[in-house]
Amino acid sequence: VTADLVVVGAGVVGLTAALAWARRHPDTRIAVLEKERAAGAHASGRNSGVLHAGFYYSADSLKARFSRDGCAAWKAWCAARDLPVNACGKLVVARSEADLPALDDLLDRGARNGVEVHEVDEAEARAIDPRARTVERALWSPATASIDPEAIMARLAEEARDARIDLRLDTPFLGATREPFGWRVHTGAGDLEAGFVLNAAGLHADRVAQAMGFGASYRILPFKGLYLVGDVPEDWLRVHVYPVPDLAVPFLGVHFTVKVDGRVTIGPTALPALGREQYSGLHGFAPLEAASIALRQAGMAVRDARFRRLAVREAPKVLKGALARRATPLVHDLDPARFRTWGRPGIRAQLLDTRTDALVMDFVLERDEASLHVLNAVSPAFTCALPFAEHLADRIDTTNR
Ligand SMILES: Cc1cc2nc3c(=O)[nH]c(=O)nc-3n(C[C@H](O)[C@H](O)[C@H](O)COP(=O)(O)OP(=O)(O)OC[C@H]3O[C@@H](n4cnc5c(N)ncnc54)[C@H](O)[C@@H]3O)c2cc1C
């Protein structure tokens, strides 16, 4: 075979998994196929850059365990490489009394997940950040932090090359045929023989899986995240300020993020997008794909009240004013005129279970003896990536080939 392990996708999931495997088996040949000219061109380089502490997710989920461990692991990883971390912490605030039961659920989840969270009253919240506004109480997470995702992706690509991983940029996966040795992988630059294939193709993970006979019950629905970047003085906000989320949908609500360099953003939206890579205007817009996504979204809007609520809530946020207004209840003295510049948007690869028309909340893996498919690497997969990579490496098997 040309490579013992072929990874599809040089996002954070693909690269960390390839590196974890290389560390365990320094003598195996690993190739990573990436259709773009650089690693991290999609979600891994276009996200909020928040290391989540792990209190949002139910205790039995992979996300809960991997965010708690991943948050700590990335801090150590960045420190060892002199990459910046802003260990600012996060307040989850209540906009009204109606938010309090869900806030208490989060405090409970934090305790159950082994994550440090504190209940603070209004005065304590103000002492943590004078700009934060809450009703009665808030959740304080000291472990939540910010990192620089683009710097991390560049460093991962460098370390992959140092580990003699064959990082093939500009090389799209086109399909694969099962062979006795594993898979014959067809790429835009010819075929290669793979003992084992790891599918970490993010927004296209369902297509790669389906081309290999997996993921039949799933479909990726793209959700666009838009940000507004603040023109505010340094220290305008010290900590991340998030609303209490609707725990029935896999998004955290429009919030304030303090970036690694202290800049402040409002966002991201969770707008149904009309293309998997349709970041702005008509770029990335494919009429057939858009029609198929729109049909599916319309079907969901008819059948699923939660999706309908989400669509109604998200649609007006394409307007700057409406997006900034969403964030108004979270802080004191927000001047929307200071948040007028769009930041770099990202698109979430949210998995839909076509049997139930439900958005899938946790990571989903499918596998056979020669391939493993990561079907739902949704947020916070960046935070989760280091321990998740070990979990994936436990399930890769290149023996007997
Ligand atoms: C707006 C937004 C905000 C977010 N905020 C956070 C956050 O604050 N904290 C957090 O932890 N997570 C966050 N996330 C989630 C996190 O960014 C993603 O879960 C994570 O980056 C997914 O990584 P990935 O490697 O699976 O996907 P990707 O980064 O999308 O990588 C997949 C790669 O596969 C390549 N590929 C696809 N198809 C093919 C093919 N056929 N051939 C070759 N290559 C292919 C793509 O080009 C891409 O580079 C956010 C995501 C978004 C969109």
Side-chain angles (χ1 to χ4, degrees):
V1 295
T2 331
D4 302 292
L5 172 64
V6 167
V7 177
V8 184
V12 74
V13 173
L15 283 187
T16 53
L19 280 160
W21 185 256
R23 244 184 334 271
R24 292 183 190 197
H25 306 277
D27 297 329
T28 50
R29 289 155 302 167
I30 306 173
V32 178
L33 309 180
E34 170 52 57
K35 67 182 168 60
E36 306 294 344
R37 294 212 175 110
H42 295 288
S44 298
R46 293 170 166 271
N47 56 61
S48 301
V50 174
L51 289 182
H52 289 282
F55 55 81
Y56 284 110
Y57 320 107
S58 57
D60 55 354
S61 64
L62 293 172
K63 280 178 170 184
R65 181 157 45 108
F66 293 148
S67 355
R68 184 196 56 208
D69 298 347
C71 183
W74 276 122
K75 286 178 186 168
W77 193 95
C78 288
R81 290 158 178 83
D82 257 341
L83 291 177
V85 174
N86 183 350
C88 53
K90 178 204 285 195
L91 280 170
V92 180
V93 298
R95 287 152 297 183
S96 72
E97 279 174 11
D99 275 342
L100 295 174
L103 184 77
D104 294 338
D105 279 353
L106 288 184
L107 284 158
D108 232 43
R109 283 189 179 187
R112 243 178 292 151
N113 296 351
V115 175
E116 183 185 352
V117 283
H118 302 277
E119 183 183 326
V120 292
D121 61 23
E122 283 183 64
E124 289 166 324
R126 259 188 176 260
I128 291 166
D129 196 314
R131 200 170 289 279
R133 180 155 91 177
T134 195
V135 174
E136 280 190 30
R137 52 187 185 272
L139 177 152
W140 167 236
S141 160
T144 305
S146 284
I147 39 87
D148 180 345
E150 288 175 80
I152 289 180
M153 290 311 299
R155 184 62 187 245
L156 285 171
E158 210 179 294
E159 292 191 10
R161 291 198 181 93
D162 291 348
R164 296 212 307 277
I165 292 170
D166 180 10
L167 178 52
R168 300 189 181 189
L169 301 175
D170 225 349
T171 308
F173 165 101
L174 300 176
T177 318
R178 193 72 165 93
E179 300 276 0
F181 57 78
W183 294 91
R184 181 172 305 283
V185 178
H186 315 300
T187 82
D191 285 3
L192 66 155
E193 295 173 348
F196 196 97
V197 175
L198 171 66
N199 164 12
L203 283 157
H204 300 275
D206 58 338
R207 289 176 168 163
V208 171
Q210 282 154 14
M212 296 173 69
F214 294 83
S217 314
Y218 296 106
R219 177 77 202 270
I220 299 260
L221 269 188
F223 282 88
K224 194 184 288 188
L226 299 171
Y227 297 90
L228 287 172
V229 184
D231 174 20
V232 288
E234 212 178 298
D235 226 25
W236 186 82
L237 199 64
R238 295 181 196 156
V239 308
H240 302 303
V241 181
Y242 280 52
V244 174
D246 176 355
L247 290 175
V249 294
F251 310 117
L252 298 180
V254 166
H255 50 260
F256 287 91
T257 304
V258 182
K259 311 300 274 185
V260 81
D261 57 6
R263 277 178 313 138
V264 179
T265 62
I266 294 177
T269 56
L271 292 158
L274 281 184
R276 294 175 191 234
E277 296 174 9
Q278 193 249 320
Y279 293 106
S280 63
L282 287 180
H283 185 81
F285 180 83
L288 269 182
E289 181 187 38
S292 127
I293 294 173
L295 265 179
R296 208 162 276 282
Q297 286 168 353
M300 283 188 73
V302 170
R303 284 186 295 277
D304 184 340
R306 278 188 325 223
F307 184 84
R308 207 160 47 238
R309 258 199 336 262
L310 180 73
V312 168
R313 199 170 63 206
E314 294 294 324
K317 290 186 201 156
V318 278
L319 304 171
K320 285 178 186 165
L323 178 53
R325 267 197 303 281
R326 274 272 149 190
T328 309
L330 309 180
V331 294
H332 295 283
D333 307 323
L334 170 67
D335 176 4
R338 289 287 187 93
F339 287 84
R340 299 294 300 165
T341 312
W342 288 118
R344 196 160 181 250
I347 298 185
R348 299 178 187 78
Q350 174 59 51
L351 201 66
L352 174 77
D353 187 329
T354 51
R355 291 164 298 192
T356 56
D357 259 354
L359 301 180
V360 182
M361 303 291 273
D362 206 3
F363 303 146
V364 172
L365 298 180
E366 285 193 8
R367 61 163 300 164
D368 68 357
E369 68 279 4
S371 65
L372 177 60
H373 304 265
V374 183
L375 287 170
N376 196 29
V378 277
S379 191
F382 202 106
T383 305
C384 294
L386 291 174
F388 190 43
E390 300 299 330
H391 182 81
L392 296 175
D394 289 342
R395 284 155 183 76
I396 294 170
D397 179 8
T398 59
T399 52
N400 307 321
R401 272 179 277 275

